[in-house]
Amino acid sequence: MKSLAGLTKELWDQIYNFQAKPDDLILATYPKSGTHWMQEILDMIQNDGDVEKCKRDHSLHRHPFLELKFPHKEKPDWVIALEMSSPRLIKTHLPSQMIPPSIWKENCKIVYVARNPKDCLVSYYHFHRMASYLPDPQNLEEFYEKFVLGKVFYGSWFDHVKGWWAAKDTHRILYLFYEDIKKNPKHEIHKVLKFLEKTLSEDLINKIVHHTSFDVMKDNPMANQTGIPSHIFNHSISNFMRKGMPGDWKNYFTVAQNEEFDKDYQNKMAGSTLTFRTEI
Ligand code: A3P
């Protein structure tokens, strides 16, 4: 099967010249940072907490991934986005410097979710095992090396989180953290509502917290990706809704890997005001 990276490269011009609209809402993340979790939260907000409306389709089909052409879809997602009615919610994993200029020009609101790199690495490793369009990660040791060097699809986690952190000073970006949402989802949903200039009742907000909790999403076929053909996502290898818990990296990193990672992190994040929690 042709790799996703190959498809994206060929069609990059079309992606970069994507025409955004001022009322587009962009959800940007580094892979495995809680994209589909925030997508579900935003969909619930945009649909005033109507669970049935949010079950209208699989999350991979409900909102397009700006730069992706999935092997099981007839059209690339950016073409699907062009055909959608407004207001559109568009996901992307692109680093800030690769975002289509029209998104900046139209001053679109952007929600960015960042997740600590250790859990991102472990989650990305398992995703490579179950997603047929990504290269076989071999084993965690090999994937660890590639992740640290940024030699994975979407490049360096470090550059991604820092690039978007800098971009928020000059653009309409709400920068959120996976661990904060996990610790206090209601608090973070309030931040999203404020950013979107939307008011919902406490009852509806509680409903959103419930509907988007890990266990409820894991049981929801429209959110847990089990409806995606098994030759694309092989859930018998690893679930898409896998652990959903900060700190799982401790079950995978050796003491030596952890020490090496921390040293590398200090170097690469030196001078940044960004801080991450690797457990809650
Ligand atoms: P794990 O593999 O650590 O379990 P993305 O959507 O960016 O691909 O991120 C996927 C990660 O987010 C997976 O992490 C998945 O389990 C986790 N996730 C998805 N929904 C979640 C939720 N409601 N609460 C907590 N984590 C969630």
Side-chain angles (χ1 to χ4, degrees):
M1 183 179 292
K2 197 167 187 183
S3 85
L4 203 58
L7 286 170
T8 300
K9 194 162 179 284
E10 261 173 36
L11 300 162
W12 175 246
D13 277 358
Q14 287 180 36
I15 298 164
Y16 196 67
N17 292 318
F18 177 80
Q19 187 51 55
K21 297 178 187 172
D23 60 357
D24 286 340
L25 175 60
I26 311 296
L27 168 57
T29 56
Y30 187 81
K32 312 320 288 175
S33 300
T35 322
H36 295 85
W37 186 12
M38 183 49 66
Q39 176 187 352
E40 203 66 35
I41 292 173
L42 294 174
D43 201 24
M44 279 290 276
I45 291 175
Q46 287 189 328
N47 285 292
D48 298 315
D50 187 327
V51 170
E52 289 317 308
K53 277 192 186 159
C54 294
K55 287 185 173 171
R56 67 194 176 281
D57 207 344
H58 301 291
S59 53
L60 220 56
H61 300 166
R62 252 183 279 155
H63 304 105
F65 247 118
L66 178 61
E67 67 278 10
L68 297 185
K69 161 73 183 80
F70 285 95
H72 68 293
K73 292 192 195 176
E74 217 174 281
K75 297 175 187 174
D77 269 23
W78 64 90
V79 173
I80 295 171
L82 291 175
E83 294 166 357
M84 272 173 72
S85 54
S86 291
R88 304 180 295 188
L89 169 58
I90 299 170
K91 297 171 282 180
T92 182
H93 287 318
L94 290 175
S96 59
Q97 73 273 18
M98 290 173 81
I99 283 293
S102 70
I103 290 181
W104 303 130
K105 194 165 160 276
E106 297 297 345
N107 200 20
C108 301
K109 285 186 182 174
I110 302 174
V111 176
Y112 184 82
V113 183
R115 185 182 194 185
N116 84 74
K118 295 177 183 177
D119 283 324
C120 249
L121 185 159
V122 170
S123 182
Y124 211 5
Y125 164 69
H126 286 292
F127 190 55
H128 274 69
R129 293 174 57 233
M130 63 90 77
S132 64
Y133 54 80
L134 291 173
D136 179 356
Q138 311 289 341
N139 51 53
L140 189 84
E141 291 68 38
E142 298 225 5
F143 191 77
Y144 173 103
E145 295 302 331
K146 288 200 180 103
F147 185 94
V148 165
L149 293 171
K151 291 193 169 172
V152 287
F153 201 35
Y154 291 108
S156 161
W157 173 92
F158 300 91
D159 292 345
H160 208 281
V161 296
K162 285 193 290 184
W164 279 101
W165 186 246
K168 79 170 178 13
D169 295 339
T170 44
H171 299 285
R172 291 205 292 178
I173 298 171
L174 177 67
Y175 200 107
L176 299 172
F177 296 89
Y178 178 101
E179 295 75 20
D180 292 346
I181 311 171
K182 188 80 195 179
K183 184 144 201 210
N184 192 343
K186 201 167 172 179
H187 186 259
E188 300 309 295
I189 290 171
H190 272 288
K191 279 192 202 166
V192 176
L193 285 167
K194 189 169 174 225
F195 180 66
L196 299 181
E197 298 159 273
K198 181 140 183 162
T199 316
L200 290 179
S201 70
E202 282 302 293
D203 276 357
L204 277 183
I205 295 170
N206 289 334
K207 195 173 165 191
I208 295 174
V209 170
H210 175 75
H211 176 76
T212 60
S213 66
F214 184 81
D215 290 342
V216 173
M217 275 182 65
K218 195 176 165 70
D219 271 354
N220 175 1
M222 294 305 171
N224 65 16
Q225 314 288 11
T226 51
I228 306 304
S230 59
H231 66 277
I232 309 291
F233 285 163
N234 190 340
H235 282 88
S236 68
I237 297 179
S238 179
N239 284 324
F240 185 87
M241 300 290 297
R242 196 184 58 87
K243 283 268 178 78
M245 186 48 84
D248 186 41
W249 61 272
K250 288 183 192 167
N251 297 316
Y252 292 89
F253 279 37
T254 62
V255 173
Q257 278 174 333
N258 192 36
E259 283 173 6
E260 183 192 306
F261 197 97
D262 285 346
K263 217 192 265 173
D264 190 50
Y265 182 96
Q266 296 304 334
N267 286 335
K268 289 184 175 146
M269 299 300 278
S272 171
T273 50
L274 256 176
T275 51
F276 283 89
R277 287 189 285 179
T278 54
E279 55 193 309
I280 56 169

